[in-house]
Amino acid sequence: MITLFHHPKTRSSRLIFLLEELGAPYEIKLVTIRSRDGSGAIDPANPHPHGKVPALTDDGETVFETSAIALYLTDKYRTTPMGPLPGEPTRGEYLSWLAYRPGVLEPALICRRFGVQHVFGAMGWAPADEVEEVLNAHLADRDYFLGTAFSAVDILVGGGLKFMMMAKMISETPTLQAYTARITDRPAFRKVMG
Ligand SMILES: N[C@@H](CCC(=O)N[C@@H](CS)C(=O)NCC(=O)O)C(=O)O
């Protein structure tokens, strides 16, 4: 049985959205986390090594890091396929964008928000304006990250983009607005995030 360790209004909400789309049975265990204002504490019940969310347990396995959890779930639970398997078309793209979210997109936008100067050759991500260009160019002629197929990448990246635009962390271009609308119009998004 899948158990998702969750805290409201955090990255773990996106995994509830994914679990709903997958149609996999799951339970949610609410845990406390440390907050930006200094309040909150790590919950001893949370198996994440840093006490963060999301974390997930399933059949004796513990999985942490949002993208790793998404890949684990979409490989294993296939009632409604939400990502290509090894050997299927677009698998490479799927892995790339899953890794891009925490490895490039998030650090770039967070650095810009906190006024951290980008250093080429030292930082493993790219400057935020370049990331915006890449996202807009990629999504200009595609409905979803993998083309016509909606996948877990759209849940992790697309769902996040909506909130980043609301927080003015990324520009609201027509391309990104149209793309995020396709994600946020989904019944599972409305059920979980609405
Ligand atoms: N790289 C992690 C980030 C996880 C993360 O930072 N989660 C936040 C909530 S959105 C958290 O648990 N914060 C509490 C803390 O930093 O201790 C992932 O993508 O899963």
Side-chain angles (χ1 to χ4, degrees):
M1 176 68 164
I2 299 168
T3 302
L4 177 69
F5 294 82
H6 170 63
H7 189 83
K9 297 188 191 318
T10 66
R11 289 169 176 85
S12 53
S13 303
R14 279 172 228 158
L15 288 175
I16 305 179
F17 179 12
L18 175 59
L19 285 161
E20 288 289 324
E21 294 277 2
L22 282 171
Y26 67 94
E27 61 175 17
I28 291 177
K29 209 172 172 65
L30 286 175
V31 290
T32 58
I33 53 169
R34 295 170 291 189
S35 297
R36 201 173 154 177
D37 63 8
S39 67
I42 288 176
D43 196 321
N46 184 354
H48 191 293
H50 292 283
K52 287 174 175 274
V53 292
L56 180 135
T57 55
D58 180 41
D59 288 339
E61 287 256 37
T62 299
V63 196
F64 53 91
E65 284 295 315
T66 307
S67 289
I69 295 171
L71 184 60
Y72 173 89
L73 290 173
T74 57
D75 277 358
K76 181 169 175 184
Y77 294 95
R78 305 289 300 171
T79 307
T80 305
M82 285 294 293
L85 291 173
E88 291 183 355
T90 73
R91 173 72 174 186
E93 273 191 75
Y94 182 56
L95 298 181
S96 303
W97 291 114
L98 280 180
Y100 187 87
R101 186 199 62 86
V104 180
L105 174 63
E106 279 196 5
L109 297 183
I110 289 170
C111 279
R112 180 166 67 183
R113 168 52 60 97
F114 288 101
V116 177
Q117 173 78 35
H118 187 79
V119 184
F120 286 105
M123 293 174 168
W125 46 96
D129 53 350
E130 207 176 287
V131 169
E132 290 197 54
E133 280 170 28
V134 166
L135 292 178
N136 277 284
H138 185 74
L139 294 167
D141 55 358
R142 290 174 181 82
D143 280 351
Y144 301 107
F145 266 91
L146 301 184
T148 52
F150 176 68
S151 76
V153 167
D154 301 298
I155 290 180
L156 301 196
V157 181
L161 281 178
K162 171 79 185 165
F163 294 108
M164 286 169 180
M165 289 197 299
M166 283 164 64
K168 307 281 177 224
M169 288 176 74
I170 191 162
S171 307
E172 287 193 44
T173 63
T175 295
L176 293 188
Q177 272 171 340
Y179 168 69
T180 55
R182 284 191 277 279
I183 314 304
T184 57
D185 279 350
R186 297 184 73 87
F189 180 92
R190 291 216 210 91
K191 178 176 170 188
V192 174
M193 319 284 249

